[in-house]
Amino acid sequence: VQYPHAPHGGVGKPGGMLVDLTHTTSIDSAGLGAFVRLTRQCQFSNIHLCLAGVRPAVRSVLAVTRTGSLFWMADTVEAGLKVLKETRQ
């Protein structure tokens, strides 16, 4: 997990959190639940969450469980960092 734009004391523009899933080949219900909880915590704290490098098997689980729309997703870490940077402008 990287915090490229973590908020400074909760003041100013919202921050961002990037979760690099490049090496994640699958996800179970516990992992999915953890991401849903993390998303809620980020929303409460006005922090944008982006999942980067999401592999097809993980995307499939997110689609089947209809949770994919909860997350911003990017194909690469670099693309995810760009998305988070753009949300701060």
Side-chain angles (χ1 to χ4, degrees):
V1 177
Q2 298 178 19
Y3 302 91
H5 304 289
H8 303 286
V11 178
K13 294 182 180 180
M17 180 184 298
L18 179 102
V19 179
D20 181 1
L21 297 177
T22 304
H23 301 288
T24 303
T25 58
S26 64
I27 187 169
D28 62 9
S29 61
L32 186 59
F35 279 134
V36 170
R37 286 188 301 277
L38 178 60
T39 299
R40 288 183 183 155
Q41 291 172 344
C42 286
Q43 289 172 341
F44 180 75
S45 300
N46 202 25
I47 296 172
H48 299 287
L49 174 64
C50 181
L51 305 181
V54 184
R55 291 183 175 216
V58 176
R59 283 186 187 265
S60 177
V61 171
L62 297 175
V64 168
T65 59
R66 297 184 181 178
T67 56
S69 63
L70 296 176
F71 315 104
W72 289 358
M73 287 190 262
D75 291 332
T76 64
V77 169
E78 294 78 17
L81 291 172
K82 183 178 178 184
V83 166
L84 291 175
K85 182 178 179 182
E86 290 171 357
T87 65
R88 291 187 50 90
Q89 297 177 0

